[in-house]
Amino acid sequence: MSSLAEVSSNQKAPFIVFEGLDGAGTTTQLELLQTWMERTYEQRVYVTREPSNGPIGSLLQLALCQRVQLDAVSLALLFAADRVDHIKSEMKEYLENGITVLCDRYYLSSFAYQLRDMPGGLAWIESINDKAIRPDLTLLIDVPADICMDRIQKSRWKMELFEEPEKLKTIRDNYLMLARHRQSVERIEVIDGNRDPQEVHKEVCDVVKEVLITEPRT
């Protein structure tokens, strides 16, 4: 089982992550949740994503767009390095200052996307990510791979790395397996994303209420 770091004892706000295939609607749901939290709780919410906008994350974004070629092991190590830098340079300070952090993708993406190509398997991927703090809640927006592929093709003309039907099916299977596998060590909620976005948002809010520290505005 993973030795991923527990949330810092200095943390004063929840750390919530959205996961899912490309095209599953994670970014849409994150933005809806941000708006709902800021309106309902009158508190600042910090939104971020991975790969980050830092120096390592910028290289990874080029790799995902296939403008830079990297082998699977190098890609996995860079994602892990970007994650540590992302935590130290951005997220940790916000959490310790009482600001909720919403992150679009985190280490579960590394596990799901890299598992198919990694000779060392899940244990090795977990080991290189063992400095990552554990989210209070991960929301896995689950949408069938063929529907995600259709959404991707309609939204842009150039496909990114991993955006192939068979790869997406394997990655979705990995996500669902990981959600079951890791339930004993962290909270991962699988949300049916193949619905109207507002229906998905309502379920997301119902789950998020359970981890929020503050009371809603009256």
Side-chain angles (χ1 to χ4, degrees), residues 16 33 36-37 40-41 137 187 202-214 216:
I16 300 170
L33 181 63
W36 175 80
M37 289 182 66
T40 305
Y41 293 87
L137 173 65
R187 183 171 182 183
K202 183 180 184 303
E203 185 174 349
V204 165
C205 292
D206 289 342
V207 174
V208 167
K209 286 175 188 176
E210 300 175 18
V211 302
L212 292 180
I213 297 169
T214 56

Side-chain angles (χ1 to χ4, degrees), residues 49 51-63 68 70 78-79 81-90:
R49 65 184 295 275
S52 76
N53 290 322
I56 307 172
S58 298
L59 175 60
L60 284 167
Q61 290 176 39
L62 291 174
V68 173
L70 296 170
L78 284 170
F79 267 106
D82 180 50
R83 190 158 292 125
V84 172
D85 180 61
H86 191 199
I87 292 164
K88 291 184 176 180
S89 65
E90 288 185 52

Side-chain angles (χ1 to χ4, degrees), residues 7-215:
V7 176
S8 168
S9 61
N10 295 323
Q11 183 175 319
K12 298 176 182 177
F15 174 30
I16 300 170
V17 172
F18 282 83
E19 292 282 4
L21 297 177
D22 293 344
T26 58
T27 302
T28 296
Q29 290 304 320
L30 184 150
E31 291 171 351
L32 288 171
L33 181 63
Q34 178 191 13
T35 299
W36 175 80
M37 289 182 66
E38 290 176 339
R39 182 183 66 245
T40 305
Y41 293 87
E42 292 189 319
Q43 64 178 30
R44 184 179 174 191
V45 176
Y46 182 71
V47 170
T48 189
R49 65 184 295 275
E50 291 193 352
S52 76
N53 290 322
I56 307 172
S58 298
L59 175 60
L60 284 167
Q61 290 176 39
L62 291 174
L64 292 175
C65 292
Q66 303 185 73
R67 293 180 63 187
V68 173
Q69 299 298 316
L70 296 170
D71 65 84
V73 172
S74 297
L75 199 64
L77 289 168
L78 284 170
F79 267 106
D82 180 50
R83 190 158 292 125
V84 172
D85 180 61
H86 191 199
I87 292 164
K88 291 184 176 180
S89 65
E90 288 185 52
M91 296 194 290
K92 188 171 181 287
E93 182 178 358
Y94 285 102
L95 291 169
E96 291 180 355
N97 281 282
I99 297 170
T100 297
V101 172
L102 304 181
C103 189
D104 193 349
R105 300 292 184 82
Y106 193 54
Y107 59 62
L108 203 67
S109 284
S110 289
F111 301 166
Y113 276 76
Q114 295 163 12
L115 186 56
R116 64 185 299 278
D117 297 317
M118 208 50 57
L122 181 59
W124 184 77
I125 304 170
E126 288 180 330
S127 72
I128 63 172
N129 283 278
D130 67 356
K131 301 302 181 186
I133 58 174
R134 191 175 297 164
D136 295 285
L137 173 65
T138 297
L139 296 156
L140 173 55
I141 309 300
D142 179 47
V143 176
D146 57 339
I147 293 174
C148 287
M149 196 69 219
D150 184 58
R151 291 177 181 178
I152 292 167
Q153 290 173 336
K154 288 178 178 177
S155 64
R156 58 179 182 269
W157 64 272
K158 183 175 176 57
M159 297 297 101
E160 293 188 354
L161 191 66
F162 302 114
E163 292 180 348
E164 298 173 13
E166 290 307 312
K167 287 183 179 180
L168 289 182
K169 288 177 183 177
T170 300
I171 294 163
R172 184 197 182 202
D173 289 343
N174 288 345
Y175 263 131
L176 294 174
M177 176 275 293
L178 289 160
R180 295 189 299 270
H181 173 72
R182 300 192 62 80
Q183 282 294 352
S184 62
V185 295
E186 63 182 307
R187 183 171 182 183
I188 301 173
E189 295 286 343
V190 180
I191 306 288
D192 178 7
N194 191 22
R195 296 177 288 168
D196 180 87
Q198 288 300 324
E199 291 182 29
V200 179
H201 172 59
K202 183 180 184 303
E203 185 174 349
V204 165
C205 292
D206 289 342
V207 174
V208 167
K209 286 175 188 176
E210 300 175 18
V211 302
L212 292 180
I213 297 169
T214 56
E215 293 297 323

